[in-house]
């Protein structure tokens, strides 16, 4: 009974915050909508780090850069172009990426298509969970996860894309939380808990564990 009352209170509080956050996201979306795809792609391109020659990463980045070239806006904004971008980003999940690539992931999560945002959420999770610590600490990706994890509920969901992106991010939390500063854990976990409870309401097939 106590737990039921607590959950009801939490859900009511979350609902109020959702309304406020949704309004904020709506205002933000109306502003960012004025930015053309070519401008966004140009910004992403400027942040892609130069990979080592002859690597798989180099091949993927060359292909990605060709699609994102502002002169190819009609291609990058087409269903096939978006599909190709998502496929290339999906390939990167299997690689250990340089920390600078976190800004590319961030830009796609802020302004990409829903499926692209979800793919970047999965990419972010792969870098936080799967990076070999002895070689790379992945602090840039941990920092990005921290930024996302402290967003208002609606903003966080908007950056993570669809259900696949949300699920990947949530599943990476057990690897992400131990990597953040101890003085940030309590506030971050509280916000993430509220987000997780909200998502159970969004996706009825999910269970709390």
């Amino acid at each position: 009974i106590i737990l039921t009352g607590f959950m009801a209170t939490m859900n009511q509080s979350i609902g109020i915050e959702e309304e406020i956050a949704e309004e904020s996201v709506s205002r933000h979306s109306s502003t960012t909508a004025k930015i053309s795809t070519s401008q966004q792609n140009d910004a992403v391109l400027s942040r892609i780090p130069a990979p080592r020659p002859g690597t798989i990463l180099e091949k993927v980045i060359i292909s990605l850069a060709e699609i994102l070239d502002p002169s190819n806006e009609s291609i990058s904004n087409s269903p096939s172009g978006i599909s190709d971008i998502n496929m290339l980003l999906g390939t990167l999940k299997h690689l250990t990426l340089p920390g600078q690539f976190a800004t590319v992931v961030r830009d796609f999560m802020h302004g990409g298509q829903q499926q692209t945002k979800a793919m970047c959420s999965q990419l972010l999770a792969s870098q936080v969970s799967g990076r070999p610590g002895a070689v790379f600490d992945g602090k840039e990706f941990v920092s990005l996860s921290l930024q996302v994890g402290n967003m208002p509920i609606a903003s966080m969901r908007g950056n993570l894309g669809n259900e696949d992106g949300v699920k990947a991010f949530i599943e990476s939390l057990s690897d992400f939380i131990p990597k953040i500063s101890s003085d940030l854990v309590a506030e971050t976990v509280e916000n993430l808990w509220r987000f997780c409870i909200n998502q159970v309401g969004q996706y009825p097939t999910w269970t709390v564990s």
Side-chain angles (χ1 to χ4, degrees):
I1 296 174
I2 294 174
L3 179 59
T4 302
F6 171 74
M7 291 292 289
T9 303
M10 283 287 291
N11 288 335
Q12 182 179 13
S13 175
I14 289 171
I16 295 173
E17 291 188 0
E18 274 283 83
E19 292 179 6
I20 297 173
E22 290 286 4
E23 182 180 351
S24 175
V25 170
S26 177
R27 289 198 302 267
H28 176 71
S29 297
S30 63
T31 301
T32 56
K34 299 176 182 178
I35 302 175
S36 70
T37 302
S38 62
Q39 288 176 305
Q40 177 190 327
N41 291 348
D42 191 46
V44 172
L45 278 172
S46 68
R47 295 186 177 94
I48 294 180
R52 287 188 302 169
T55 61
I56 296 176
L57 180 58
E58 181 192 37
K59 297 180 185 300
V60 173
I61 285 181
I62 288 174
S63 298
L64 190 60
E66 289 176 353
I67 300 173
L68 294 177
D69 190 309
S71 64
N72 293 329
E73 182 175 2
S74 60
I75 297 176
S76 62
N77 206 32
S78 68
S80 62
I82 294 170
S83 177
D84 287 344
I85 290 172
N86 295 338
M87 179 191 68
L88 291 167
L89 291 173
T91 302
L92 295 176
K93 291 190 298 183
H94 306 289
L95 304 177
T96 297
L97 300 177
Q100 305 96 303
F101 209 90
T103 59
V104 177
V105 175
R106 181 200 63 197
D107 288 347
F108 274 127
M109 292 177 74
H110 285 349
Q113 301 286 335
Q114 287 298 98
Q115 185 60 40
T116 303
K117 290 181 178 183
M119 187 59 71
C120 281
S121 301
Q122 296 173 53
L123 178 56
L124 176 60
S126 74
Q127 297 303 298
V128 170
S129 300
R131 294 175 66 97
V135 182
F136 297 105
D137 60 12
K139 62 182 180 181
E140 293 89 348
F141 295 98
V142 172
S143 177
L144 177 56
S145 290
L146 183 62
Q147 292 175 36
V148 175
N150 281 288
M151 289 179 176
I153 292 173
S155 299
M156 198 187 311
R157 191 172 66 238
N159 274 262
L160 296 176
N162 58 27
E163 181 177 357
D164 291 336
V166 172
K167 186 175 181 181
F169 183 73
I170 290 176
E171 289 177 344
S172 72
L173 295 182
S174 60
D175 295 301
F176 154 63
I177 292 173
K179 296 179 180 179
I180 64 177
S181 175
S182 58
D183 59 339
L184 299 174
V185 170
E187 180 180 358
T188 302
V189 168
E190 180 181 0
N191 195 55
L192 288 168
W193 171 251
R194 295 164 72 85
F195 176 74
C196 291
I197 293 298
N198 177 269
Q199 296 313 290
V200 171
Q202 295 290 323
Y203 306 113
T205 57
W206 288 19
T207 58
V208 179
S209 61

